[in-house]
Every structure is written in C-alpha cells, then in structure tokens.
Amino acid sequence: MSQYHIQSLEAYFKVYRESVNRPEEFWSGIAQDHFLWHKKWDRVLAWDFEKPEVRWFEGAKLNITENCIDRHLSTKADETAILFVPNDPNGEAEKISYRNLHERVCRFANVLKNHGIKKGDRVIIYLPMIPELAVSVLACARIGAIHSVVFAGFSATALSTRINDCDAKMVITSDGSYRGSKTIDLKGIVDQALDDCPAVQSVLVAQRIHSDIHMQEGRDHWLAPELAAASSSCEPEIMDAEDPLFILYTSGSTGKPKGMLHSTAGYMVYTAYTFKNCFQYEEGDIYWCTADIGWITGHSYIVYGPLANGATTLMYEGVPSHPDCSRFWQIVEEHKVNQFYTAPTAIRALAKESLDFVNKHDLSSLKVLGSVGEPINEEAWHWYNDHIGKKNTPIIDSWWQTETGGILISPIPYVTPTKPTFATLPMPGIQPALMDENGQEIHGNQVQGRLCIKYPWPSIARTIWGDHLRYKDTYFSAFAGKYFTGDGALRDETGYYRITGRVDDVIIVSGHNLGTAPIEDAINAHPQVAESAIVGYPHDIKGNALYGYVTLKSPVENQENLCREINQLISQQIGPIAKLDKIQITQGLPKTRSGKIMRRILRKIASNETDNLGDISTLLDPEVVKSIMDEALV
Ligand code: WTA
C-alpha cells in the first residue's frame, strides 16, 4: 500500500530501485490495491521494443469510468468532481458532484448508444472547455467507444484530416465557444470540415453561445433534449486491459499528424499514480490544470488522473488575460486552489504584466506549482517561484509527451529538492538513457545526449492509429531496442535531468507542438511559392516563434500581400497557432549536395547568431548563405 504514495526522498529511492529491479511486481502491486477490476490480469507485462509491442495487465477486465466515478459514489457522492469556471468573470462556477457526474456521463453514454455508437467506434470531440467536453470523453469510455478530442482551435482542414484518419462516425461539438471577449463559430468550422468527411453519420451539438447556426436535417442533433430524454443509468462496458481508450493526434516532423493510440488499464494505472505523487494530492484539495482537454495534459491531468483519485479538478473555460491578466490569480484565490499546473508560455506572458495583478490576490492556498509543455527558462522559473509560490511552494517541472501518456520525469513536491530548469528525477518505473550520435548509451553524470527510455511503462502509446510502421520508425528505429523521445537532455552531477529541447523538426510554439513539414506543405500550396523552410527562433513569450524562408517561382510586386496570403493558407490548413511571425522571401535555400535543406544554418540566421554558422563547405552553393543574410525582412 505504501508504495502508492511517496512521501520522502528515502522512500522515493527505495521505490525507484524496486520498480527497476522488479517492474512487474512493482506495477502489479500498485494496480492491485488501488483500482477496481472485474477480473485480474493473467500476465503483468509482455513487451518487445523491436516489433514494437507492449501489453500491460493482459487478461484483466475493467471499465475506466467505474474507476473514475462509480467507485467513489459510496464515499464521496456529494463531493465536487469537476469545478467548472466559465469564461465570463461574472458567471457562476458550477460544482459537479461525483453523483451528478455519474448521472451526466450515463445519460450522455445512452445518447451515444441511441445514435448507434458501439464499442470500438471512433467519436471525434470538438468542444470548448465546458463540462460537456469532460462528460463526453467519459461517456465514450463508458461504452468502449474510442474518443479522439481535437483541440477547438484547429481549422476545418485539420479537423477533417483527423476525422478521416480515424474513420469517425460521429462528431460532438457546440454551436460556438467563448474565448475571452470573442466568440468562435465552432459549428461553422465543423460544417466546413464535414464537406470532406463522408463517414460521419451524426453530429451532436451542445448549446453554449446561443448563436443562430445551421443544423443539417438528419445529421445534426441538439444535445440537451436528447440528454434529457435519455436514461440516467448506463452499465459500463467491460473492457479488456489492452482495449483502446483514445486516439490523440500530435504533430510529427513529417507528413500528417500521428494518431497516438492509448489503451485502457496501463494508462489508467499510470496517470492515477503519477497524479497522486506529482501533485501530492490530499483529500479535499482543489486541483487546477490550465491546459485544454484537447491536449494530452488535459486528458491525463484534468480528467482521468484526478478523477481516478477521487479529486476535485477545476476546469476553466477561458483565457489568462480576460477580463485582465489577474484572472488566473483571481480564480486561485476564489476557489482556494491547492495545486496549480500550467505551461511556461502562460507564465512568461503573465510575468510581462504588472505585479499588481498577482499581488492583489491571496495565493496562500497554493501548495504545489507545476509546469509542462516545453523547457521552462530560468527567468520564468524564478518569477513563478518568487511571485506565485512566494518562495515556499515547490515547482514541479514535469517532462512528458502525448506518446508517454503520463509524466515521466519530474520532482515529487516536498520530496525531491528542485533545481531551476531541471525536471530532476525519473518517476518510479521509468528508465531513461542518454544516447550519443553513434547509438551508444552515455553512462555516468555530467553528460548530454538524446533522451531514450529503455523499458516500457504502463501508459506508453501502443501504436499510431492505422500506421504501426510509422510508430516503429518514429520511436523505435533511431536507437535499437529503445523508445526515442525526440528530445535532447543532460544529466548533471547528481543525476538530475534537464530537457534541452527537441532534436527533430518539431517546434514548440506557446506549448503547441508544430511539425515543420505540414506548415511547409501549406505554404507551398500558394501558386507563387516554389519552396519553403520553417525554423524556430527564440521568442520572449511563446518560447519559440516561427520563421519562414520562402522562394518564389517568379518575383511578385506586393510582397506584403503575399505574406498575408501565406499566413491565411496556414490558418486554413492548420490553425492560427501555426502562423509565421517572420517571413523572408529569399533567392535560394542552403542545401547539401544531396538536396537536404540545412535547417541548422537557417535557424542560426533566424536567431541572429550569424557569428558562428559552423561548417558550410558541404553546401551545394555556399554563396546562398550570404545572400540570405543580406536580404531584408518583409
Ligand atoms: C516538450 C506535453 C522541457 C518536450 C505533455 C516533449 C518539455 C514535448 C517539458 C511533448 C518539460 C514537455 N521540459 N520540455 N517539462 N514537457 N516538453 O506531446 O519537447 O504536447 O517532447 O506533451 O514537449 O509535447 P506534448
């Protein structure tokens, strides 16, 4: 029992050793004592990173929503499961008790069934951060349908690509969404996307902004009347441990987004365990993660991890700057938030504003601060520590990925001494390795390399939907027998890890992973564009911003117009988050003799680090570098 909750550094080291020496005993101990199973597993783990395949708790039967909801009903039916805080600062927060959540999930699950959704069917959820989002996720899990949440900031093209990739039968959306002082026409975006999605049979529409929208006869259905008419009880579908739970798309460095598939039991066990330890959640605490449920952070640490622990999880609909930049702190004060989990980009944006926004609020309820999504720079870390944590609230800099399902490297607050910009130590069961360029593991401390994980953990994604080969190529081919994260890291003299950033062509902008290839594809769709290359450069708030180098088929008169059109194309095909901050129309791109664009050089030029461009002798035409540096920016 004691292994579930780590409360001292000594205990951490002991548990960690056990988890590495006897992983199967360790994880079966955690799984056995803290979850509800209809049948125990026959085998704890089967794995082969060459194939690759990983199966945890094979033979076990369960339903994750029983673990997240039903089993709490005997002890905490009236306690708040979800605390919903609306966008409108004058709007009232809504407390959804475990009892009420149970009823809402059951009703929603019955509506899904009434529309013919069965175990294994894919359902796309395209909703703002309103209760229906969490409820619809859980309703899918209740009946064994595979949910795929698409962040409601993605464009119609991005949405239709995802709908078609997983052959979804149904889309759940709302009439629109509030975002600060703006409203967004979500249903209009869905309508546009569905022009290209013949397999979608029905669309369920939640009413949020009461806008006048088009409802297509026979396809579109208002949610509220259907929920009201549905039964409030729904027996959970009993799932196998390895049955798929959800697909979540993430950007790759090439081509279309990757539909990461997570399965049921391992994901549940790992997210619940890491939630408890990384946030030291105690009965009665109010926990708030500011992510959107459209990202993995929201799946694991707004919905599944907290609810599996019977926690109160706060869900905020709006943005940090509405009505002003004190909103986060006002919510912390009003709801006496104990654990607060956000992203470096939000911290940097708020740190730019007056400290009055912070200081007028009582933040004394805070016990744990978290950061996730990209490396947190030292300045932001200190601002967070000094002004939000008042120097006595541990910051957990938690490193993980959509693919990992849960937090892999993180301090445990009040247990692991923190160090600015370091994610510190691996969670129990996680065996990191740093690799050199020749594929050898680098042992010892004070070393730097590419970050791999040597041994499976329960919540590792099992495949890429419909493309197992790509899964193998992307994660298991660079270093034989190991999971490659795509990140670089260093290990300091005490064995602490610091994540240094992506080593592939994924750029993290405001915490969003963007692959360079899909953006370049969007730009190249412009009739005047011959070729393009995207790189990231440092940006005060976003962490990285995007810099595009574009060559043209023939000169154009109005370059400003062209740049505007390029950004419009990107917005349409991917979403506004992928728009370029700077565009340079250039005569040529630096290429190797084999025709590969030397992004390393473009990155240096974009970052104004032109003193040391490194070796450019292998370029087909070294002169091109000078002309790129001489050209003016548009
Ligand atoms: C980066 C988000 C440094 C990293 C949960 C990773 C981080 C990618 C950190 C995954 C951190 C995430 N420090 N870098 N604490 N957390 N990253 O899939 O590059 O949206 O590979 O998952 O974000 O982003 P994703």
Side-chain angles (χ1 to χ4, degrees):
M1 287 296 269
S2 62
Q3 292 196 340
Y4 189 73
H5 187 192
I6 298 169
Q7 290 171 287
S8 71
L9 195 57
E10 202 188 347
Y12 162 78
F13 283 120
K14 182 165 169 286
V15 168
Y16 184 76
R17 262 194 313 275
E18 283 172 22
S19 76
V20 170
N21 294 338
R22 285 188 296 277
E24 297 189 21
E25 283 88 335
F26 172 73
W27 285 115
S28 62
I30 301 282
Q32 188 147 322
D33 294 336
H34 300 278
F35 301 90
L36 191 69
W37 304 93
H38 283 265
K39 175 181 170 288
K40 288 274 158 67
W41 44 94
D42 306 316
R43 188 174 178 186
V44 184
L45 170 65
W47 71 290
D48 176 350
F49 271 179
E50 301 288 340
K51 273 187 178 168
E53 72 180 8
V54 177
R55 295 193 299 277
W56 282 92
F57 309 115
E58 239 180 331
K61 304 261 185 212
L62 75 158
N63 183 287
I64 195 169
T65 68
E66 274 190 301
N67 280 276
C68 288
I69 310 172
D70 305 48
R71 70 170 164 143
H72 305 311
L73 294 179
S74 59
T75 51
K76 49 177 61 169
D78 295 316
E79 284 170 33
T80 304
I82 297 176
L83 175 56
F84 171 67
V85 177
N87 177 69
D88 177 359
N90 300 314
E92 201 152 313
E94 186 187 350
K95 288 184 176 165
I96 302 173
S97 67
Y98 273 93
R99 188 199 315 279
N100 185 233
L101 182 62
H102 180 260
E103 183 186 327
R104 288 167 79 157
V105 169
C106 286
R107 282 186 192 276
F108 208 127
N110 285 322
V111 171
L112 296 177
K113 283 187 185 174
N114 293 343
H115 285 278
I117 301 296
K118 306 178 303 298
K119 177 177 175 182
D121 287 344
R122 275 78 62 205
V123 173
I124 291 275
I125 302 173
Y126 187 72
L127 279 171
M129 282 285 285
I130 56 176
E132 286 83 349
L133 174 49
V135 171
S136 59
V137 160
L138 293 162
C140 288
R142 186 86 177 166
I143 65 168
I146 304 172
H147 58 77
S148 185
V149 183
V150 176
F151 172 60
F154 274 123
S155 69
T157 313
L159 177 60
S160 66
T161 306
R162 287 157 175 77
I163 293 171
N164 289 330
D165 185 75
C166 69
D167 262 325
K169 266 181 150 172
M170 174 187 267
V171 176
I172 302 170
T173 189
S174 63
D175 52 354
S177 66
Y178 295 116
R179 202 172 161 72
S181 53
K182 290 192 250 169
T183 56
I184 297 167
D185 175 21
L186 286 191
K187 179 61 167 51
I189 297 173
V190 170
D191 287 342
Q192 210 185 325
L194 291 188
D195 285 345
D196 299 324
C197 303
V200 172
Q201 294 163 4
S202 42
V203 179
L204 300 181
V205 187
Q207 198 170 37
R208 181 62 188 152
I209 65 168
H210 299 269
S211 57
D212 185 17
I213 56 164
H214 167 72
M215 294 289 280
Q216 185 171 312
E217 187 68 34
R219 186 194 70 182
D220 301 350
H221 312 271
W222 287 110
L223 192 55
E226 301 215 4
L227 287 172
S231 157
S232 61
S233 75
C234 173
E235 283 303 309
E237 182 81 27
I238 304 306
M239 307 291 283
D240 286 334
E242 281 297 333
D243 277 338
L245 176 63
F246 66 85
I247 299 167
L248 186 60
Y249 286 89
T250 184
S251 304
S253 48
T254 55
K256 61 178 189 177
K258 298 172 289 191
M260 304 313 307
L261 183 78
H262 282 282
S263 62
T264 307
Y267 176 82
M268 171 183 80
V269 168
Y270 193 80
T271 54
Y273 178 73
T274 47
F275 173 76
K276 175 71 185 171
N277 287 295
C278 293
F279 297 101
Q280 291 287 314
Y281 185 88
E282 298 286 349
E283 202 62 42
D285 283 350
I286 310 289
Y287 161 87
W288 180 19
C289 166
T290 69
D292 191 289
I293 294 176
W295 309 114
I296 191 70
T297 308
H299 281 61
S300 303
Y301 299 109
I302 295 179
V303 182
Y304 289 114
L307 296 178
N309 282 281
T312 298
T313 176
L314 190 152
M315 204 178 149
Y316 172 50
E317 182 183 22
V319 294
S321 53
H322 178 71
D324 63 38
C325 289
S326 67
R327 190 70 194 274
F328 273 6
W329 321 126
Q330 176 265 318
I331 294 174
V332 168
E333 175 174 4
E334 182 177 342
H335 298 288
K336 302 204 167 36
V337 171
N338 302 109
Q339 292 88 2
F340 177 75
Y341 192 28
T342 195
T345 185
I347 299 168
R348 288 189 296 262
L350 295 172
K352 285 222 152 221
E353 304 295 330
S354 159
L355 270 179
D356 294 345
F357 287 126
V358 177
N359 292 338
K360 69 180 178 194
H361 292 291
D362 174 6
L363 305 181
S364 61
S365 57
L366 289 170
K367 297 194 284 190
V368 176
L369 299 176
S371 170
V372 62
E374 59 183 308
I376 178 166
N377 52 305
E378 194 140 5
E379 212 183 332
W381 195 98
H382 283 294
W383 185 86
Y384 202 24
N385 186 48
D386 294 355
H387 301 293
I388 307 305
K390 318 290 181 199
K391 294 196 169 104
N392 63 11
T393 314
I395 295 177
I396 62 145
D397 178 359
S398 61
W399 172 83
W400 59 296
Q401 310 177 295
T402 305
E403 295 85 339
T404 70
I407 297 170
L408 297 199
I409 304 183
S410 170
I412 296 176
Y414 302 99
V415 169
T416 320
T418 59
K419 176 173 175 181
T421 77
F422 279 74
T424 76
L425 297 171
M427 293 305 291
I430 305 306
Q431 303 187 31
L434 297 180
M435 309 298 292
D436 70 18
E437 287 185 0
N438 305 318
Q440 298 302 312
E441 181 170 354
I442 310 168
H443 294 280
N445 288 345
Q446 282 189 296
V447 290
Q448 184 160 4
R450 297 185 169 213
L451 178 62
C452 286
I453 312 291
K454 293 195 272 195
Y455 197 86
W457 62 99
S459 64
I460 183 174
R462 302 303 196 252
T463 190
I464 292 176
W465 181 261
D467 201 347
H468 198 66
L469 193 60
R470 188 175 180 200
Y471 176 69
K472 179 178 173 152
D473 286 348
T474 311
Y475 305 106
F476 299 91
S477 302
F479 302 98
K482 297 186 175 62
Y483 167 80
F484 175 47
T485 63
D487 283 323
L490 61 83
R491 192 162 51 220
D492 77 359
E493 62 288 353
T494 55
Y496 272 18
Y497 288 89
R498 173 185 187 163
I499 313 303
T500 47
R502 302 292 308 184
V503 293
D504 56 11
D505 287 333
V506 172
I507 305 171
I508 304 187
V509 178
S510 300
H512 304 305
N513 295 6
L514 299 171
T516 50
I519 303 176
E520 288 162 6
D521 289 346
I523 301 173
N524 298 349
H526 193 288
Q528 238 111 30
V529 170
E531 234 185 345
S532 60
I534 302 299
V535 295
Y537 69 97
H539 185 280
D540 278 1
I541 292 175
K542 302 180 186 184
N544 294 295
L546 296 177
Y547 192 121
Y549 297 88
V550 177
T551 64
L552 302 179
K553 291 180 180 156
S554 53
V556 295
E557 273 196 2
N558 191 333
Q559 293 201 346
E560 266 175 46
N561 261 350
L562 177 79
C563 293
R564 214 169 299 125
E565 286 163 14
I566 285 176
N567 266 333
Q568 259 165 13
L569 273 171
I570 296 173
S571 270
Q572 281 159 13
Q573 298 205 8
I574 301 162
I577 46 178
K579 285 206 284 197
L580 308 180
D581 278 59
K582 290 185 186 166
I583 300 178
Q584 178 169 346
I585 307 293
T586 178
Q587 295 304 313
L589 296 170
K591 290 188 185 169
T592 61
R593 280 165 221 274
S594 60
K596 202 169 181 293
I597 297 172
M598 293 273 270
R599 288 167 199 282
R600 177 175 61 76
I601 293 173
L602 293 176
R603 225 174 274 134
K604 290 215 159 166
I605 298 174
S607 314
N608 244 333
E609 290 171 13
T610 47
D611 295 348
N612 175 20
L613 285 178
D615 181 14
I616 56 170
S617 63
T618 57
L619 288 181
L620 191 61
D621 175 13
E623 281 302 301
V624 96
V625 175
K626 190 172 173 309
S627 68
I628 293 176
M629 293 195 314
D630 291 344
E631 282 156 3
L633 268 183
V634 184

